[in-house]
Amino acid sequence: MEFFKLLRHLAYLTALVFFAFFELASSDLVRRTFEFAVFNTGKPVVEDRMLYSADSPELNIKSYVEESILGPVSVDLAPLLTRGTKLRSFMFRDKTVYADFSGEAVIPVPGGLPLFDSFVILNRGIRRNFRYVRDVKLFVNGNEVFFTEFSKIFGAE
């Protein structure tokens, strides 16, 4: 009798595991990595998040950028951009990302990274998570930021 009880529990556990894997496989979630820095030290830390996958590459990248603007989950990490920064416009054309942020983006985060480093991390994160992106052009209020410096770091495409 005890054997059948154990067998029944094992069958329930197997069914639960099967349904959990099925649910995960059928969901539209995909893992993305986000890089942030520890307040005051600047030590890089990578966070993994599950984001919903859309049908278009443009929507996937836009979702990633918007999630990056929200900042880290951990309170010990500094956000890349100042709170209140908005993504004014976004476009992905000819393997190039164009992202325009509101003016709050130029205000440095107290205890956080310099603005240039934050934009480099965002640029690198887009390229790391979306291998098909060839170039990333970032703007604040319609003006491209760090064009020359990014060309040296990421190579002129």
Side-chain angles (χ1 to χ4, degrees):
M1 197 64 165
E2 200 61 38
F3 173 74
F4 291 114
K5 186 176 180 181
L6 180 64
L7 192 58
R8 187 176 61 220
H9 288 304
L10 186 59
Y12 291 151
L13 183 61
T14 303
L16 282 174
V17 169
F18 172 76
F19 287 121
F21 279 123
F22 178 75
E23 180 69 25
L24 182 63
S26 65
S27 72
D28 292 335
L29 293 176
V30 63
R31 184 178 70 84
R32 300 285 183 217
T33 59
F34 296 83
E35 184 178 335
F36 298 102
V38 177
F39 273 111
N40 296 322
T41 66
K43 180 183 173 200
V45 175
V46 175
E47 286 187 355
D48 288 337
R49 297 186 194 169
M50 300 299 285
L51 299 180
Y52 283 101
S53 179
D55 292 335
S56 81
E58 182 173 26
L59 290 176
N60 286 329
I61 301 169
K62 181 180 180 186
S63 173
Y64 176 84
V65 172
E66 289 174 334
E67 192 75 16
S68 295
I69 292 173
L70 289 176
V73 174
S74 172
V75 294
D76 297 336
L77 304 178
L80 294 179
L81 302 173
T82 303
R83 278 195 191 275
T85 300
K86 304 276 188 272
L87 183 61
R88 291 175 14 135
S89 63
F90 184 87
M91 198 168 58
F92 177 61
R93 299 291 184 272
D94 299 324
K95 297 184 180 182
T96 301
V97 170
Y98 301 91
D100 185 19
F101 300 97
S102 62
E104 292 87 355
V106 297
I107 302 169
V109 176
L113 294 172
L115 185 61
F116 175 74
D117 294 342
S118 292
F119 278 119
V120 167
I121 287 172
L122 179 60
N123 191 323
R124 192 171 50 219
I126 293 169
R127 292 170 188 263
R128 178 180 55 244
N129 285 282
F130 306 96
R131 301 282 183 191
Y132 48 85
V133 170
R134 193 172 8 131
D135 197 11
V136 177
K137 297 187 181 288
L138 302 175
F139 300 83
V140 174
N141 282 339
N143 299 308
E144 190 169 4
V145 293
F146 306 117
F147 171 74
T148 307
E149 293 86 347
F150 283 175
S151 295
K152 291 177 186 173
I153 294 172
F154 297 107
E157 303 286 334

